[in-house]
Amino acid sequence: MPFFVCTALIHPTLVYWIHLYLDKTDASWVSFVWMMDTHHAEPGPIWFVLTLLFIETVYAFYRRFFAGTLSKLIPDKLPSTTGIFMFMILTGFVAYLIRMVYPVGTSFFGLQFGFFSLYIGMYLVGIIACRCNWMEQLTLKGAIPWFALSLICILILMIATRAEDVTPFLGGLNLSALFYAMWEPVMCVGISYFLLAFSKEYFNRPNKFILTLSGDSYAAYIIHPMVVVCCTFLVEQLSASPLAKLALVLVIGIPCCFAISHLFRLIPGMKKVF
C-alpha cells in the first residue's frame, strides 16, 4: 500500500513542489500528477520498497518449494577472511558486468540494476546470519580491521576521483569501472560489520525511546523526501555555506520525520500499514 500511494501520489507531488520552487511549471497540481503517473511514472525514493518486495517474493517462493536444499552448504560459524573476500569479489564483479549494460545512473522504473548484486548478496547474508546466529559471534575486535580497510578505500576513491570527469567509474570495459564496482562491497561489508559489532557491544540494551523510533522508522522513511525537500526550501533562504545548510537540514529534518511519523501512526489503523 505505501508503495502504490507513494508512486501515484507522494512522489509526483514532491516533483511538482520542486518544479514550482524552480519556476519550471505553471500547471495545476492535478494535471501535473496525472502527467507524471501516465508518462513518467517512477517510485522515487520508495524504489527500495519495490526492491524488497521483489526479493522477498523470490525468497518466499524458494522457502515454499525448495527450503532445506541449500541448508547443508551454510556454515554455522562466521565466514573466514577468505570467505568475506570471495563475497566482495563476487558481488563486485557481477556489478561490473551489469554496468557494462546499465551504468551507474541508468535506471528502469527507478531501479539501478548496477547495484543489485550487492543488495541481493547482503539480503542473503542477513538471512543466513539470522539462521546461524552469526550476530552472537560478532566481536568488535574482529570488525575493526574491516572498518579500517573501508576507511582506506574512502581515501583511495577520493584520490582516484580528483579528475573532473568521473564517467569511466560509472560503467564500461575499463579499470576505473572495475575499481568502483569492487570498492562498493568492501565499503558495505566493512562499515556494516563494524556498526553491527559496535552497536552490539555498546547499545544492545532495552531502551523505550529507541524502540519507539524503531517502530516509527518505516513511516519516517516513507515521508522523509517531503520533509527534507521542505527543509531544503527553508534553509535556501538563509545566507550560509552549503555545509552549514546541510547540517541545518539534518538537525531539523531528522527529528521532524520521526515526530510526524509518530503522530501519523497514532491514527487508528495506521500501525497495520506502517
Side-chain angles (χ1 to χ4, degrees), residues 43-157:
I46 207 72
W47 66 267
F48 190 64
V49 171
L50 176 61
T51 301
L52 285 178
L53 286 172
F54 172 74
I55 295 175
E56 290 177 358
T57 300
V58 174
Y59 179 62
F61 183 84
Y62 160 77
R63 290 286 299 169
R64 176 64 178 83
F65 297 102
F66 304 100
T69 57
L70 299 178
S71 59
K72 295 181 180 180
L73 302 178
I74 299 174
D76 292 329
K77 296 182 179 180
L78 285 174
S80 64
T81 299
T82 301
I84 294 175
F85 273 121
M86 288 300 295
F87 173 83
M88 294 174 175
I89 292 171
L90 177 62
T91 54
F93 189 70
V94 171
Y96 171 65
L97 295 178
I98 294 174
R99 290 174 189 180
M100 291 184 183
V101 181
Y102 290 97
V104 175
T106 303
S107 66
F108 173 78
F109 197 64
L111 305 178
Q112 295 197 40
F113 297 126
F115 295 104
F116 268 57
S117 63
L118 191 55
Y119 296 157
I120 295 172
M122 292 297 285
Y123 180 90
L124 294 176
V125 167
I127 293 173
I128 296 170
C130 177
R131 293 186 174 275
C132 297
N133 295 316
W134 285 359
M135 285 295 295
E136 301 300 322
Q137 305 173 51
L138 291 180
T139 64
L140 191 56
K141 181 180 179 181
I144 287 177
W146 297 105
F147 184 59
L149 178 62
S150 65
L151 295 180
I152 293 172
C153 285
I154 292 176
L155 295 176
I156 293 174
L157 185 68

Side-chain angles (χ1 to χ4, degrees), residues 21 229-240 242 245 248-249:
Y21 180 78
V229 167
C230 288
C231 291
T232 302
F233 289 164
L234 291 175
V235 301
E236 279 294 316
Q237 311 304 317
L238 302 177
S239 178
K245 291 179 180 179
L248 192 56
V249 168

Side-chain angles (χ1 to χ4, degrees), residues 207-221 258 261-262 265 271 274:
N207 186 304
K208 185 176 181 180
F209 177 68
I210 296 298
L211 287 174
T212 300
L213 293 181
S214 178
D216 297 334
S217 60
Y218 183 43
Y221 162 69
F258 281 92
S261 300
H262 186 73
R265 293 179 75 242
K271 288 187 178 181
F274 298 99

Side-chain angles (χ1 to χ4, degrees), residues 34-52:
W34 176 254
M35 181 271 297
M36 286 285 295
D37 287 342
T38 55
H39 293 86
H40 305 285
E42 63 175 50
I46 207 72
W47 66 267
F48 190 64
V49 171
L50 176 61
T51 301
L52 285 178

Side-chain angles (χ1 to χ4, degrees), residues 177-212:
L178 178 61
F179 164 76
Y180 184 54
M182 292 297 179
W183 178 87
E184 287 173 348
V186 174
M187 287 292 300
C188 181
V189 172
I191 293 178
S192 297
Y193 194 163
F194 175 77
L195 290 178
L196 284 171
F198 185 83
S199 299
K200 175 191 171 186
E201 183 76 20
Y202 295 105
F203 300 113
N204 192 23
R205 302 174 184 86
N207 186 304
K208 185 176 181 180
F209 177 68
I210 296 298
L211 287 174
T212 300

